[in-house]
Amino acid sequence: MTATPKIIIRDAEEFEQEAIAQIMLEAYQQYASVLSEQRWAQYRDSIRNSVYGKAAHARIVAVLDSEIVGSVQMFLSSEDAYGNPEMGIHSPIIRLLAVSPTCRGKGIASLLIQEAARRSVLLGFSTLNLHTSDMMATAVQLYERLGFQRAYETDIRNGDTLVKGYQLDLRSASLLEDVV
């Protein structure tokens, strides 16, 4: 009988930035065909820049067999996450959740979100936020399955795209059972 490899969720190390950027770009590459060439180039640059930026409170990675296979960034406000204090979000926001296409379906995204939720609770927050768009339908299904609810008041526009806000009530999140 072969042992199932264990997925380790931990903080990213600074020297791992390029590996994280590669996983993120690999994960988000599927949207290149849905976006115009210019929008994809902007999105790709934004993804890469986020890996090297300093605004994130935490950069959480998933490691399988000593290799980074997923990541998520956690910010403590809309000002930190988007440079937009007017949005009025003063609780954690996760951004750029990414799992290598070769490792999808193993629960890695759920583990990364669960860790961000756990950390949010430990910091004294009662909600966890995120933003996504309709082109990320599979991700939306995951978020809703994990208990995120639409937070219409946090919706934003990026050009013609409606970027929908979602929020998880950490006081009643079943995803935190047996974790905190």
Side-chain angles (χ1 to χ4, degrees):
M1 189 163 90
T2 313
T4 305
K6 183 174 173 19
I7 298 164
I8 298 166
I9 305 296
R10 62 167 173 79
D11 282 308
E13 300 289 338
E14 194 168 331
F15 72 87
E16 296 172 314
Q17 288 173 315
E18 189 55 33
I20 294 166
Q22 291 306 313
I23 290 295
M24 290 170 67
L25 291 170
E26 180 184 340
Y28 282 87
Q29 180 66 39
Q30 71 190 61
Y31 304 113
S33 63
V34 196
L35 299 170
S36 71
E37 194 173 315
Q38 179 184 358
R39 293 269 295 150
W40 169 246
Q42 291 170 338
Y43 197 33
R44 184 189 62 228
D45 291 347
S46 171
I47 290 168
R48 179 169 279 292
N49 292 340
S50 74
V51 174
Y52 294 95
K54 301 292 181 209
H57 172 74
R59 295 175 195 288
I60 305 166
V61 293
V63 179
L64 180 62
D65 293 332
S66 302
E67 185 178 333
I68 293 174
V69 295
S71 71
V72 70
Q73 297 176 15
M74 183 175 139
F75 299 83
L76 296 183
S77 69
S78 56
E79 182 171 8
D80 293 342
Y82 306 112
N84 188 347
E86 296 80 25
M87 285 179 76
I89 300 174
H90 302 289
S91 62
I93 299 168
I94 55 172
R95 292 199 61 209
L96 297 167
L97 174 68
V99 175
S100 170
T102 61
C103 293
R104 290 183 181 160
K106 298 179 190 298
I108 293 169
S110 295
L111 290 171
L112 289 164
I113 294 169
Q114 184 180 47
E115 179 61 13
R118 184 188 73 79
R119 291 177 186 208
S120 297
V121 168
L122 291 174
L123 290 168
F125 292 99
S126 60
T127 59
L128 178 63
N129 302 273
L130 64 83
H131 289 85
T132 191
S133 66
D134 289 339
M135 78 174 175
M136 299 179 181
T138 304
V140 170
Q141 290 173 347
L142 170 67
Y143 303 143
E144 290 175 347
R145 188 169 36 84
L146 293 177
F148 282 85
Q149 301 288 318
R150 282 285 279 118
Y152 295 94
E153 68 281 3
T154 66
D155 287 358
I156 51 178
R157 284 229 166 253
N158 184 357
D160 293 339
T161 304
L162 175 63
V163 183
K164 298 177 178 180
Y166 282 82
Q167 189 172 79
L168 179 66
D169 183 342
L170 297 169
R171 296 165 296 204
S172 62
S174 62
L175 121 118
L176 286 172
E177 292 172 7
D178 306 321
V179 174
V180 179

